[in-house]
Amino acid sequence: MLKRSALEGRESAFSMYNARMQENTAIQDNSSVGIVAPKTAHFNQPLTLSSGQILPQFHLVYETYGKLNADKSNAVLICHALSGNHHVAGKYSAEDKHPGWWDNMIGPGKPLDTNKFFVIGLNNLGGCHGSSGPLTTNPSTDRPWGASFPIVTVEDWVNSQACLLDHLGIQSLAAVVGGSLGGMQALQWTIAHPQRVRNALVIASAPNLTAQNIAFNEVARQAIITDPEFHNGEYYNHGVLPRRGLRIARMLGHITYLSDDAMGAKFGRKLRGEEYQYSFDVEFEMESYLRYQGDKFAGEFDANTYLRMTRALDYFDPAKQAGGDLSAALAHVTADFLVVSFTSDWRFSPARSKEIVKALLDNELSVSYAEVTAAHGHDAFLMPDPHYHNIVRSYLNKVKV
Amino acid sequence: MLKRSALEGRESAFSMYNARMQENTAIQDNSSVGIVAPKTAHFNQPLTLSSGQILPQFHLVYETYGKLNADKSNAVLICHALSGNHHVAGKYSAEDKHPGWWDNMIGPGKPLDTNKFFVIGLNNLGGCHGSSGPLTTNPSTDRPWGASFPIVTVEDWVNSQACLLDHLGIQSLAAVVGGSLGGMQALQWTIAHPQRVRNALVIASAPNLTAQNIAFNEVARQAIITDPEFHNGEYYNHGVLPRRGLRIARMLGHITYLSDDAMGAKFGRKLRGEEYQYSFDVEFEMESYLRYQGDKFAGEFDANTYLRMTRALDYFDPAKQAGGDLSAALAHVTADFLVVSFTSDWRFSPARSKEIVKALLDNELSVSYAEVTAAHGHDAFLMPDPHYHNIVRSYLNKVKV
């Protein structure tokens, strides 16, 4: 099992931000959920996947913060994005320097206030942080699943998350919350289990991928798959890892997470040295950042999981079953919504969020929509922007539990 | 020496466009420059490069179309972009299905009218289509230069192009024309050789790369350099080619050449088959297109050249020597300018062209600027858009020879 704080690496390069966040942590220690530990839920029941394949049994690793109230009405599920996991908030020890990936959002007094809500984070099926996936054992062979682990979809994740709620004895979620691919899961929750979710917070997300989004995913996957050390996904058996491919995939990902302007402000054309060296080594700070992020990720994340996460993104398209009509696809939705987009997010632009908003309004649902002015591109959803955080806080303050 | 029509592959996927262009060709055969043949100019004189390295001798492959007039005042130089070459217009035989890469722009009666102008296209130093570069012989070792070929810059190219003009007995260019990286060369001509260029057409270009542009180049280069078959650039000696890396680089490039909207209109979320196959094989037409383009390019282009072309892009920054002040960098420019940008070009956006326009106007130079409404992104500069072509035609009609 690989361990990492899913997004801290990306944020750490934004040293200014990181410093501010750590200052926050230091000053407002009482705003942390504190020391946490992951748990594992085992499901000895078959799960039929979108592909038609059946997982005979599975397990999910999860964490919880706050307390479930007596009538179990205050549960909030956090759905993670491509490289996220169950470690959403808190630390694993007093010395742990890397809190969960959305620690700035979740805790006592934070926008998602654990004094009010019982928060659940999990690692999705197919992940590489402990839940059933390529790195875990296939019970029918007693060997790691590897490349034979099924391709899973957003729909499959949501159904497995419903099993986790059953396991926890929770009938209805006060809210399901997610950014990016996590927002797709939040939306899917309201479609697949309308009676079990009262509010959905769909942040920096989209109702499906554009051709350009698909194209970026395809380049990333091809970098991995054509890495000679990928071995058709059975690299574990060869004692190697397709690091080169995963590194390229992650470098490319980072370009799409940040806005052109954010990159310009942070790196611009700054050189590593005094003058051009006329070589293919690092010349620009931008290059150094990308290489660092790529190297780091390639040593921590699993390539088979990366392939599956990007494919789940590609496949998500709730309107597909309704002949392309998203409004029709949302006809049975009953949840209230907060939809948030960020002006500089070119991966999932505000226009994509507005497609969701329009379809919800077509169904006369209650929708709050905010387009936050933010420089950080898609990554803005992870940043502690006060305006953004206040929007989430205000919305959740009104949620009854 | 590799042979290819540099950009036809990319255009050919736009079957609608291609059909239109071939129809044009068929109907207006008298608008073609006809059968052409490349020539080679040898220079037994040292060329000092930006890096400080000296090329003791070099050669350039070039083509010409139209006739040089008696006072040699009607010459137009075409500068190519990343994957372009000297074969700008015409065909190599009556059966040749692939005219030069800018055949829609150049010919009798075309926007760049070869009844009026003598047009020169060349392959830049470091290229892979015949001019001195990694694939050609290093005269001091009698072996291919390979990875030891120097890193060349836009400045070096322009200086070598000036040698070609000397060779042809041309003192002054009626115009220098280029799109993208070619536009950078056109701009550099006016800076480095102000007395030798009367007009510059700078199309879909920029005064330097943004951090995001540099980032894309870096991912492409890293894909090539970390390909196990790259062998530090000496793959020729190992009887292999870093096809995987070059393929990824080209796939990524194509994403940046097209606009999100153009990709959406052409490919959208169209599936190859009827339904999802739940695999990592081609699912979407978008993927098929990228793989095709990547495979094609990887079999035709040289990786060492690709590295050098992207580095030349990174390094170009005329304002750098003037403390970041582009206006100051252009203080000695005397040429008249046509600057053209395309609304959907997110690689070199209209805002970047406007930076050039502003700096030219600061120097009270004569500048025409057009921002063309076009759906095709950066690739629009290669497309036969009537409005765009008329702008170029009108400008060139007024150029005195």
Side-chain angles (χ1 to χ4, degrees):
Chain A
M1 175 178 154
L2 299 169
K3 279 187 189 170
R4 66 187 297 270
S5 174
L7 290 151
E8 51 75 23
R10 203 191 310 167
E11 286 167 19
S12 75
F14 285 92
S15 52
M16 188 184 67
Y17 265 90
N18 222 30
R20 199 202 299 173
M21 289 165 66
Q22 290 184 351
E23 193 182 0
N24 282 350
T25 308
I27 295 168
Q28 309 172 1
D29 212 16
N30 57 355
S31 76
S32 170
V33 299
I35 309 295
V36 299
K39 292 162 232 173
T40 303
H42 293 273
F43 302 92
N44 289 314
Q45 65 201 69
L47 183 71
T48 302
L49 305 172
S50 302
S51 64
Q53 278 195 265
I54 295 169
L55 268 185
Q57 52 183 257
F58 63 97
H59 65 274
L60 296 172
V61 171
Y62 68 101
E63 292 181 9
T64 65
Y65 323 113
K67 284 186 183 165
L68 189 60
N69 61 9
D71 55 2
K72 302 185 175 179
S73 65
N74 70 333
V76 174
L77 178 69
I78 308 295
C79 302
H80 71 71
L82 200 154
S83 62
N85 58 28
H86 54 281
H87 186 37
V88 185
K91 298 181 172 189
Y92 286 147
S93 69
E95 297 73 36
D96 188 350
K97 289 181 180 170
H98 303 299
W101 58 267
W102 221 356
D103 194 77
N104 63 42
M105 181 67 88
I106 298 161
K110 287 184 179 169
L112 209 178
D113 190 345
T114 49
N115 289 327
K116 176 180 180 181
F117 295 108
F118 174 69
V119 179
I120 308 157
L122 84 156
N123 184 216
N124 278 336
L125 283 178
C128 54
H129 294 86
S131 291
S132 291
L135 296 179
T136 65
T137 302
N138 177 348
S140 59
T141 64
D142 266 341
R143 302 190 57 196
W145 278 100
S148 69
F149 193 83
I151 289 182
V152 285
T153 63
V154 168
E155 291 85 338
D156 299 333
W157 286 336
V158 166
N159 292 338
S160 71
Q161 290 159 6
C163 296
L164 180 61
L165 289 203
D166 296 341
H167 172 83
L168 296 170
I170 296 163
Q171 172 52 32
S172 163
L173 288 167
V176 57
V177 184
S180 189
L181 176 56
M184 291 176 167
Q185 295 162 62
L187 180 59
Q188 177 61 24
W189 256 100
T190 70
I191 298 169
H193 304 282
Q195 305 310 317
R196 298 190 74 170
V197 54
R198 306 199 297 282
N199 293 274
L201 281 70
V202 178
I203 303 171
S205 195
N208 61 26
L209 295 196
T210 63
Q212 189 188 64
N213 295 146
I214 292 170
F216 278 120
N217 279 348
E218 172 67 0
V219 176
R221 274 194 303 268
Q222 287 296 306
I224 291 169
I225 288 171
T226 63
D227 184 326
E229 299 191 325
F230 181 66
H231 296 288
N232 290 316
E234 300 301 353
Y235 42 89
Y236 323 100
N237 299 337
H238 292 77
V240 293
L241 292 171
R243 283 177 194 267
R244 296 183 196 92
L246 200 52
R247 177 174 179 268
I248 295 297
R250 185 61 165 182
M251 291 172 78
L252 178 54
H254 269 279
I255 299 177
T256 70
Y257 303 149
L258 301 179
S259 70
D260 194 7
D261 285 349
M263 281 186 169
K266 179 73 188 168
F267 304 106
R269 296 182 50 84
K270 268 180 226 154
L271 296 177
R272 195 78 180 285
E274 290 289 308
E275 268 306 325
Y276 292 157
Q277 302 303 310
Y278 299 98
S279 82
F280 302 119
D281 293 338
V282 167
E283 285 275 23
F284 297 91
E285 290 290 353
M286 182 74 247
E287 297 169 337
S288 173
Y289 170 77
L290 285 182
R291 291 191 193 186
Y292 171 80
Q293 295 297 340
D295 289 337
K296 189 167 180 302
F297 191 73
E300 294 171 340
F301 206 80
D302 179 62
N304 279 321
T305 289
Y306 199 88
L307 297 182
R308 279 159 183 74
M309 295 286 159
T310 56
R311 219 25 157 180
L313 274 162
D314 292 349
Y315 283 149
F316 183 67
D317 187 13
K320 186 166 179 283
Q321 297 302 324
D325 183 344
L326 185 62
S327 301
L330 303 183
H332 301 289
V333 170
T334 57
D336 292 348
F337 277 78
L338 172 64
V339 178
V340 181
S341 67
F342 299 93
T343 49
S344 59
D345 184 353
W346 62 280
R347 185 181 171 98
F348 291 156
S349 72
R352 305 308 319 277
S353 281
K354 286 177 193 165
E355 290 178 39
I356 298 172
V357 171
K358 182 196 174 294
L360 295 169
L361 293 176
D362 284 344
N363 286 293
E364 298 182 356
L365 291 162
S366 170
V367 190
S368 299
Y369 172 63
E371 186 173 319
V372 178
T373 300
H376 283 89
H378 189 59
D379 259 4
F381 87 87
L382 296 163
M383 301 289 174
D385 175 80
H387 180 53
Y388 160 47
H389 272 198
N390 280 337
I391 289 163
V392 174
R393 183 192 302 274
S394 299
Y395 186 89
L396 290 173
N397 277 347
K398 288 187 282 183
V399 169
K400 293 195 184 106
V401 297
Chain B
M1 174 178 156
L2 299 169
K3 280 187 190 170
R4 68 187 295 269
S5 173
L7 291 151
E8 53 73 26
R10 203 191 307 168
E11 286 166 20
S12 75
F14 285 94
S15 52
M16 189 183 68
Y17 266 89
N18 224 29
R20 200 203 298 172
M21 288 164 69
Q22 289 183 354
E23 193 182 359
N24 282 349
T25 307
I27 295 170
Q28 308 173 1
D29 212 17
N30 56 355
S31 75
S32 169
V33 299
I35 310 295
V36 299
K39 292 161 231 174
T40 302
H42 293 273
F43 302 92
N44 289 314
Q45 64 202 70
L47 184 72
T48 302
L49 304 173
S50 301
S51 64
Q53 278 194 265
I54 295 169
L55 268 186
Q57 51 182 260
F58 63 98
H59 64 273
L60 296 172
V61 171
Y62 68 101
E63 292 181 9
T64 64
Y65 322 113
K67 285 186 183 166
L68 190 60
N69 63 9
D71 56 359
K72 302 184 175 181
S73 65
N74 70 334
V76 174
L77 178 70
I78 308 295
C79 302
H80 71 72
L82 199 153
S83 62
N85 58 30
H86 54 279
H87 186 37
V88 185
K91 298 180 172 190
Y92 286 147
S93 69
E95 297 72 38
D96 188 350
K97 289 180 181 170
H98 303 300
W101 58 267
W102 222 356
D103 194 76
N104 63 42
M105 182 66 90
I106 298 161
K110 286 183 179 170
L112 209 177
D113 191 344
T114 49
N115 290 327
K116 176 179 180 181
F117 295 108
F118 174 69
V119 179
I120 307 157
L122 83 158
N123 185 216
N124 277 335
L125 283 178
C128 56
H129 293 86
S131 291
S132 292
L135 296 180
T136 65
T137 302
N138 177 348
S140 58
T141 64
D142 265 339
R143 302 190 56 197
W145 278 98
S148 69
F149 193 83
I151 289 181
V152 284
T153 64
V154 169
E155 291 85 337
D156 298 334
W157 286 337
V158 165
N159 291 338
S160 70
Q161 290 159 6
C163 295
L164 180 61
L165 290 203
D166 295 341
H167 172 81
L168 296 170
I170 296 164
Q171 171 53 31
S172 163
L173 288 167
V176 56
V177 184
S180 189
L181 177 56
M184 290 175 166
Q185 294 162 63
L187 181 58
Q188 178 61 24
W189 256 100
T190 70
I191 298 169
H193 304 282
Q195 305 312 318
R196 299 191 73 171
V197 53
R198 306 198 298 280
N199 293 273
L201 281 70
V202 177
I203 303 171
S205 195
N208 61 26
L209 294 195
T210 64
Q212 190 188 66
N213 294 146
I214 292 170
F216 278 120
N217 280 348
E218 172 67 359
V219 176
R221 274 194 303 268
Q222 287 295 305
I224 292 169
I225 288 171
T226 63
D227 184 325
E229 298 190 325
F230 180 65
H231 296 288
N232 291 317
E234 300 300 353
Y235 43 88
Y236 323 99
N237 299 338
H238 292 76
V240 293
L241 293 171
R243 284 177 193 267
R244 297 183 195 90
L246 200 52
R247 178 174 178 267
I248 295 298
R250 185 61 165 181
M251 292 173 76
L252 178 55
H254 269 278
I255 300 178
T256 69
Y257 303 149
L258 300 180
S259 70
D260 194 6
D261 286 348
M263 281 185 169
K266 178 74 188 166
F267 303 106
R269 296 181 52 82
K270 268 181 227 152
L271 295 177
R272 193 78 181 284
E274 290 289 307
E275 268 305 325
Y276 292 158
Q277 301 303 310
Y278 298 99
S279 83
F280 302 118
D281 293 338
V282 166
E283 284 276 22
F284 297 91
E285 291 290 353
M286 182 74 246
E287 297 169 338
S288 174
Y289 169 78
L290 284 182
R291 290 190 193 186
Y292 171 79
Q293 295 296 340
D295 289 337
K296 189 167 180 301
F297 191 73
E300 294 171 342
F301 207 80
D302 179 63
N304 279 321
T305 289
Y306 200 88
L307 297 182
R308 280 157 183 75
M309 295 286 157
T310 57
R311 221 20 158 185
L313 274 162
D314 292 349
Y315 284 149
F316 183 67
D317 188 13
K320 186 166 179 284
Q321 298 303 325
D325 183 345
L326 185 62
S327 301
L330 302 183
H332 300 289
V333 171
T334 57
D336 292 349
F337 278 77
L338 173 64
V339 178
V340 181
S341 68
F342 300 92
T343 49
S344 59
D345 183 355
W346 61 281
R347 185 181 172 100
F348 291 154
S349 71
R352 305 309 318 280
S353 282
K354 286 178 193 162
E355 290 177 38
I356 297 172
V357 170
K358 183 195 174 294
L360 295 170
L361 292 176
D362 283 347
N363 287 293
E364 299 183 358
L365 291 162
S366 170
V367 191
S368 299
Y369 172 63
E371 186 172 318
V372 178
T373 301
H376 283 89
H378 190 58
D379 259 4
F381 88 86
L382 295 163
M383 299 292 175
D385 176 80
H387 179 53
Y388 159 46
H389 273 199
N390 280 336
I391 289 163
V392 173
R393 183 191 302 275
S394 299
Y395 186 89
L396 290 173
N397 277 347
K398 287 189 281 185
V399 169
K400 293 195 184 106
V401 297

